[in-house]
Amino acid sequence: QEQLVESGGGSVQAGGSLRLTCSASGFLFVSCGGTGWYRQAPGKERELVSIFNSNGETTYADSVKGRFTFSRDNDKNIQWLQMNNLKTEDTAVYYCMAVGCRGRNSWGQGVQVTVSS
């Protein structure tokens, strides 16, 4: 059974850093068309944070460019989101995702990130 498990969320002051980790089981990230992270802030729609596609290209939301970095270890089947210089507007639930994985999509349960001023 396909499963994504996130960890690394928490509370931090503005300007701080956090690293989110997502471990996959039941499938391989390399089998997917894209893997990455979304987030959803209270009262807002879920939005793309970063996605890494099968061509090896990483796309970031404009709001996080230069502050967030996506990485993935295919051997360990783990991906990360390094978040630096966090802002209060980065407060959200962050979701790990994988799409186009042999016709299936998967989402993690979400992890809370809270940034205080």
Side-chain angles (χ1 to χ4, degrees), residues 12 14 26 38 40-41 66 77 89 94 112 114:
V12 65
Y38 272 69
Q40 187 166 19
N77 217 25
E89 53 263 42
Y94 285 70
Q112 178 70 45
T114 302

Side-chain angles (χ1 to χ4, degrees), residues 23-73:
S23 299
S25 60
F27 70 102
L28 297 176
F29 279 141
V30 293
S31 72
C32 303
T35 70
W37 298 86
Y38 272 69
R39 69 185 181 186
Q40 187 166 19
K44 295 187 177 181
E45 294 187 353
R46 192 172 296 190
E47 64 174 359
L48 173 70
V49 176
S50 178
I51 187 165
F52 178 79
N53 66 25
S54 57
N55 293 324
E57 301 163 331
T58 305
T59 300
Y60 296 96
D62 288 342
S63 59
V64 306
K65 283 181 181 176
R67 301 188 297 119
F68 290 13
T69 303
F70 173 90
S71 60
R72 196 175 82 185
D73 186 323

Side-chain angles (χ1 to χ4, degrees), residues 76-115:
K76 295 180 179 179
N77 217 25
I78 297 175
Q79 64 182 24
W80 297 273
L81 183 68
Q82 178 66 44
M83 306 184 293
N84 297 329
N85 190 22
L86 282 159
K87 303 178 180 181
T88 55
E89 53 263 42
D90 294 319
T91 295
V93 177
Y94 285 70
Y95 297 90
C96 176
M97 50 76 77
V99 296
C101 311
R102 300 187 187 279
R104 300 176 71 91
N105 302 329
S106 296
W107 290 86
Q109 81 284 359
V111 61
Q112 178 70 45
V113 171
T114 302
V115 184

